[in-house]
Amino acid sequence: MATMQSVVASSISFGASKNRATLESPKTLYRNNTHLPMRVRCMAQDGEKEPLKPITESAPSTQPKPAAAPSPPKPKMSTRFTDVLAFSGPAPERINGRLAMVGFVGAMVVELSKGQDVFSQISNGGVSWFVGTSIVLTLASLVPLFKGVSVESKSGGVMTSDAELLNGRVAMLGLVALALTEFVKGGAIV
């Protein structure tokens, strides 16, 4: 069985500043100097005799490199009601996180300005504010999802969809921690 073996001759490149020759490894030669000629030698093994072919040098390639293939279009996300509102779907955690962010900031502002804890805020008209805010944020979050726009497609820079999820999770934990702390303490934190 005949096998092909390629031998890459080490090239000598002359330094411009010191005018001395340095040897380059074949890996560097291939990676950096693809325009240099390559020598190929064919050898027969296992007793098969093949005529030796002369060492040839290839000319530099003048063909343009092929253009990168365009990436396949991203599949459009499902707009079915059950897919959007599924437990692992795009809507539930985002809506809850957005509500928690608004709720935490609102609770802290009212607590700092009026000195009321979370439970006092809820009993003094906070339920209607909560329901109204929930409806507005839920509709504002669902409309783009039902149109097939993914949250990831609208994120960029610092304001990414992953940052929104993380901030929402922290706000949910912060709101629960605020309520538990005020319940244990028996009043507002501030």
Side-chain angles (χ1 to χ4, degrees):
M1 177 168 121
T3 59
M4 298 289 290
Q5 178 181 5
S6 66
V7 179
V8 177
S10 60
S11 68
I12 299 176
S13 63
F14 295 96
S17 62
K18 296 183 180 179
N19 197 16
R20 65 183 184 127
T22 60
L23 294 177
E24 293 183 354
S25 70
K27 190 178 214 181
T28 307
L29 172 71
Y30 178 73
R31 187 178 24 195
N32 296 334
N33 301 320
T34 56
H35 65 279
L36 293 177
M38 178 184 292
R39 297 180 183 186
V40 177
R41 182 176 298 191
C42 299
M43 301 172 64
Q45 291 183 352
D46 298 333
E48 294 182 13
K49 298 238 176 184
E50 292 182 9
L52 290 176
K53 296 180 182 177
I55 298 174
T56 60
E57 295 184 10
S58 62
S61 176
T62 58
Q63 297 176 352
K65 293 183 180 180
S71 61
K74 294 181 182 177
K76 191 172 180 182
M77 63 178 267
S78 175
T79 58
R80 291 180 37 208
F81 185 78
T82 55
D83 291 339
V84 171
L85 293 175
F87 184 73
S88 62
E93 187 175 8
R94 292 198 188 280
I95 293 171
N96 288 333
R98 290 170 182 170
L99 287 171
M101 288 186 268
V102 170
F104 183 78
V105 171
M108 291 304 295
V109 166
V110 171
E111 187 170 321
L112 289 173
S113 65
K114 294 184 180 180
Q116 295 179 342
D117 64 353
V118 175
F119 301 107
S120 302
Q121 293 174 30
I122 292 172
S123 63
N124 292 335
V127 174
S128 61
W129 280 103
F130 171 74
V131 170
T133 305
S134 298
I135 291 171
V136 169
L137 278 176
T138 301
L139 289 175
S141 299
L142 288 177
V143 167
L145 294 175
F146 284 127
K147 288 184 176 182
V149 178
S150 69
V151 179
E152 289 81 14
S153 68
K154 295 296 182 181
S155 65
V158 179
M159 303 287 193
T160 64
S161 60
D162 292 336
E164 181 188 22
L165 279 177
L166 180 64
N167 290 336
R169 291 171 183 165
V170 170
M172 287 185 247
L173 291 173
L175 195 55
V176 169
L178 178 67
L180 285 174
T181 305
E182 290 178 348
F183 177 74
V184 170
K185 187 178 177 186
I189 291 178
V190 180

